[in-house]
Amino acid sequence: MIGRPNFTAFFLCIAALAGNATLGGFDIFLILAVPVGLVIFLRDPRLGAAGGGFGLWLALLALVPLAMRAPEIGIPYFELYWLWPWKAALLAILLLREREARWPFANDMLLAGFTLLLLASARIEEGRMVSLFGPNMLYRFFGTGFIIALLRLGSVSGWQARFSLGFAGLSAGAMMLTGSVGALGVFAAALYFARTSLWRMLRSAGAILLAAGAALLALNWQAVLDSNLISRVLYKLENLDRDDRLVGWSKLAGSEPGWWGLDYRDLAFAWTARSPYPHNMPLELYVFHGFYGLMLASLVLASFWIARHTRWLFYFPLLVILIGALFSGDLSDNFAVLAFPVVLAAQYRALARPVFPFAPHRSAPV
């Protein structure tokens, strides 16, 4: 069954992936999340309905020092940088309020439609695809669609299976065209998390389609090697000692931020015109928020590892953002990853188990 669309879940997913992107000067996350939040709270206005109790409030309190510190860092390239801790807290609360939400097949179709919209408005600039978003943001939408489509293959058949396989192929090709290195991490994560679905396909008639896809790649292996993504990876590997980001990482790792971090101007020795911020979430938390930030970064990474057996839908877009946060952007882009440890703290017993009650069983729609 296709099921009725869950618009609140869909728009929360798009809002999280949008990062710090704006529309007409307004933050897209807030444009989507605030109305969704109003709908959710009008549906059930009880403050305690998010669940989690002490764990939730303790996790939210952990974000308070970040919210107090962010305006003091003095980020010169984005005046709304200070908003990210507040957006992370809001996203966490809304995700918990949607803890019983389902992601029906109709939402897959909505996401596929949004993907087609991004492709219809796309163009190639300097060898990389851009659309409504830049390439380092764009691949996150494609990567989320890729993982969701592969996961869906484990519970559908017939035209829905063919749709999911086509959606996965379209998303994979689009990711390649963005040229973002983080796409390689998304491919690896998708193969790991969707291994059951892919094995099921291999034992069914879908194996013919998978074999045809593998044969197509094999016949065009030179084109794959010459693709923007692979060529960029090879270029970076050949020029590791001159890569702005890697050189910057080395300099930032050698800084001494103390317990609460350094200001942006104190780290001027590490910034370049091409790399004016860390491009790495743990390192960013470390240099701007000190050992406190490093501790939180460790908790973020640990939370995704602890919940690796879950099939809760929202784990996967947040995982895609986390993968990108290790290679690109700053926390104004990647704030959503800080929402996940809050959710985990609020629902640890459920989320740390292989079956997460926020989502239905494997045989039902994701």
Side-chain angles (χ1 to χ4, degrees):
M1 293 180 62
I2 295 177
R4 295 171 57 188
N6 186 332
F7 290 107
T8 55
F10 175 74
F11 286 123
L12 273 182
C13 179
I14 298 299
L17 292 170
N20 64 0
T22 59
L23 181 64
F26 295 95
D27 187 280
I28 291 178
F29 172 81
L30 295 177
I31 290 175
L32 295 174
V34 170
V36 166
L38 288 174
V39 170
I40 292 172
F41 279 91
L42 286 174
R43 197 165 57 204
D44 186 351
R46 293 175 299 161
L47 292 177
F54 179 73
L56 170 61
W57 295 111
L58 182 64
L60 290 174
L61 283 174
L63 296 179
V64 171
L66 304 180
M68 296 175 63
R69 171 84 180 118
E72 300 176 355
I73 296 172
I75 301 294
Y77 54 82
F78 186 52
E79 62 182 10
L80 296 179
Y81 178 88
W82 61 273
L83 268 177
W84 77 258
W86 301 98
K87 291 163 68 174
L90 175 60
L91 178 63
I93 292 172
L94 294 181
L95 290 178
L96 284 167
R97 289 298 296 261
E98 281 289 273
R99 65 189 184 278
E100 300 296 337
R102 297 293 185 262
W103 185 273
F105 190 83
N107 278 37
D108 289 19
M109 300 178 73
L110 285 175
L111 189 56
F114 188 73
T115 299
L116 290 175
L117 173 64
L118 292 175
L119 291 174
S121 58
R123 60 191 183 278
I124 301 297
E125 292 185 357
E126 298 181 357
R128 305 182 68 185
M129 179 190 287
V130 299
S131 181
L132 303 179
F133 306 92
N136 292 332
M137 295 286 287
L138 194 58
Y139 91 93
R140 301 188 336 184
F141 293 92
F142 301 145
T144 297
F146 181 64
I147 292 182
I148 289 176
L150 290 186
L151 287 172
R152 182 72 71 183
L153 286 172
S155 60
V156 294
S157 60
W159 74 268
Q160 292 179 334
R162 292 189 292 273
F163 177 92
S164 296
L165 196 58
F167 184 23
L170 179 68
S171 300
M175 265 198 297
M176 295 282 289
L177 289 174
T178 65
S180 293
V181 177
L184 296 179
V186 175
F187 282 129
L191 292 176
Y192 171 77
F193 286 105
R195 61 193 184 278
T196 302
S197 297
L198 291 172
W199 177 243
R200 179 177 181 268
M201 286 292 294
L202 287 173
R203 294 182 297 165
S204 69
I208 299 174
L209 294 176
L210 290 176
L216 187 62
L217 288 176
L219 291 172
N220 293 275
W221 62 272
Q222 189 62 52
V224 174
L225 290 177
D226 292 339
S227 68
N228 185 266
L229 173 59
I230 302 302
S231 61
R232 290 188 75 240
V233 171
L234 293 176
Y235 177 81
K236 287 179 179 293
L237 291 176
E238 293 171 357
N239 297 274
L240 286 177
D241 58 334
R242 292 179 292 174
D243 187 273
D244 281 359
R245 295 187 192 184
L246 292 180
V247 173
W249 289 354
S250 177
K251 292 179 179 179
L252 292 172
S255 64
E256 299 180 359
W259 275 103
W260 303 109
L262 297 169
D263 293 343
Y264 185 87
R265 63 179 179 274
D266 297 327
L267 299 165
F269 61 88
W271 311 133
T272 66
R274 295 184 61 187
S275 185
Y277 43 86
H279 284 290
N280 179 275
M281 180 272 296
L283 196 56
E284 181 177 353
L285 283 171
Y286 172 60
V287 296
F288 289 152
H289 299 276
F291 291 112
Y292 181 78
L294 183 61
M295 178 184 66
L296 290 184
S298 300
L299 290 174
V300 169
L301 297 175
S303 69
F304 280 90
W305 174 256
I306 290 169
R308 65 190 182 279
H309 296 301
T310 185
R311 287 299 179 266
W312 180 45
L313 179 280
F314 281 107
Y315 176 85
F316 298 101
L318 297 182
L319 176 67
V320 171
I321 296 171
L322 174 67
I323 292 171
L326 300 178
F327 301 99
S328 181
D330 63 16
L331 281 163
S332 67
D333 296 322
N334 303 317
F335 66 89
V337 299
L338 269 292
F340 190 72
V342 176
V343 174
L344 178 65
Q347 295 288 340
Y348 178 80
R349 291 184 179 180
L351 189 51
R353 296 173 182 170
V355 178
F356 189 29
F358 288 10
H361 294 291
R362 187 180 300 167
S363 61
V366 175

